[in-house]
Amino acid sequence: MALYRHDSYVLDLSGKSNDKAKVYRDGILIFQGQSTHAIPIFVKRCDSPEVTRKFYSNKTRQNLTNEL
């Protein structure tokens, strides 16, 4: 799929759809597992409206804001 970068974080979704996704901070692996878990970790750690918009719809963003 793709590789996403924001500041010191990298989200690696380059494997097959069911493969493990990876989240790195400063080149150090901080999470390896399903993309359904990796994406929220990446978005939360980046703490950026642009990153949130990239991965979530308006409705999902509102739910995330309400939960935080």
Side-chain angles (χ1 to χ4, degrees):
M1 280 208 235
L3 194 67
Y4 299 95
R5 295 177 190 270
H6 181 78
D7 294 335
S8 62
Y9 291 97
V10 175
L11 173 63
D12 182 359
L13 299 173
S14 60
K16 296 178 185 174
S17 62
N18 291 330
D19 280 353
K20 293 184 174 159
K22 298 172 185 162
V23 179
Y24 297 91
R25 181 174 184 231
D26 296 323
I28 298 170
L29 181 67
I30 59 171
F31 178 82
Q32 179 176 337
Q34 293 182 339
S35 60
T36 55
H37 297 292
I39 292 171
I41 289 170
F42 178 73
V43 170
K44 188 172 182 179
R45 297 260 179 139
C46 289
D47 193 29
S48 166
E50 296 92 30
V51 174
T52 303
R53 271 193 294 278
K54 177 85 174 165
F55 290 98
Y56 297 110
S57 68
N58 286 336
K59 185 176 180 181
T60 305
R61 278 200 305 272
Q62 183 61 42
N63 291 340
L64 286 173
T65 304
N66 291 340
E67 291 176 10
L68 297 178

